[in-house]
Amino acid sequence: MANRILPSIGPVDCITPKKSEASGFCYINDIVLAILELLKYHARVLYIDIDIHHGDGVEEAFYTTDRVMTVSFHKFGDYFPGTGDLQDIGSGPGRHYSVNFPLKDGIDDLNFRNIFRPVMTKVMQVFNPGAVVLQCGADSLAGDRLGCFNLSIEGHADCVEFMKTFNTPLLVLGGGGYTIKNVARCWTYETAVLLGKKIKNEMPYNDYFEYFGPDYQLTIPTNSMENTNSYEYLEKTKNTILENLGNIKSAPSVQMQDVPPDTFYYDTDDDGDNPDVRLNQRVMDNMVEHPAEFYDNDFDNDQDDGLDVNEFDENTAMDTTE
């Protein structure tokens, strides 16, 4: 894979579902599936989570391996899912490859930048990933209905901008976010950051224009909530994480092995398909009817053995009288 940025910001990408249970509004952990695909091509994959919730499902999936490092900046304490302690650093071969930065209410742009950049610089130095997956949950923004951080959209997007500077293949995903109009704002802004485009702060008129009143601006103001993360707490936590990362002497290697086949296959003929046709001829040609199918084909609603039930009359119906 070339050094490309793959923006995939959109519907919620799930961080909390486990192998054996649903969690956090999700039942499939698509991020874990994406990382498993990336591991077929890269010896090491880095996962970064700036969603306000701890990415426990992704962490658990790779807790005992050194091929995936997970880094999560999240609210910790009496808050869902209640995991992600500073001391949770991985186990076995994965020891020191799980990184958790537990935060308190009210973290702002400047303080978040001052912890994110040095931690991620050290991570990139010691782990040297072949690909990075960055989950940009928008519930860490100021004013989120379920969140309790105080980040602006610019502060949130600063994480995206910083990870671009490493020139490593970067897959950027959506995540949580419960003030929907701000989710749309955030991921629009960050898509522009990924593409290196400058966009106006004034919202252009569109079908949903009224949702973004009364200011009709792309960015949002922060609020006056107290930042309960003291300088001493942030510095102590940051230094502990940097010390733990110092125990990784070199980026782990991977033995040669057979690479599993791709899970997803892309047909080059897709480009020629008519987007207005739900089932084109190429798709229909590849469909196999199940032996238990009751109908003649997928377009029959009321047919059996080629006979339309609407055409039944007393002469064709079976006589069940004695």
Side-chain angles (χ1 to χ4, degrees), residues 209-226:
F209 189 71
E210 65 274 13
Y211 288 98
F212 299 94
D215 55 359
Y216 305 102
Q217 302 288 310
L218 179 63
T219 57
I220 60 172
T222 56
N223 53 50
S224 59
M225 71 182 302
E226 178 187 2

Side-chain angles (χ1 to χ4, degrees), residues 22-80:
S23 179
F25 307 121
C26 303
Y27 64 94
I28 295 177
N29 198 315
D30 55 340
I31 297 178
V32 170
L33 298 178
I35 293 174
L36 290 174
E37 289 298 307
L38 289 171
L39 288 173
K40 296 176 182 178
Y41 300 93
H42 300 281
R44 295 171 301 280
V45 175
L46 170 64
Y47 171 70
I48 309 167
D49 190 326
I50 59 173
D51 190 291
I52 196 171
H53 301 97
H54 177 233
D56 58 333
V58 182
E59 179 185 88
E60 181 180 302
F62 303 108
Y63 201 68
T64 60
T65 179
D66 58 3
R67 292 193 61 194
V68 177
M69 177 176 284
T70 61
V71 184
S72 180
F73 299 83
H74 54 270
K75 170 70 163 65
F76 182 71
D78 186 17
Y79 198 76
F80 180 85

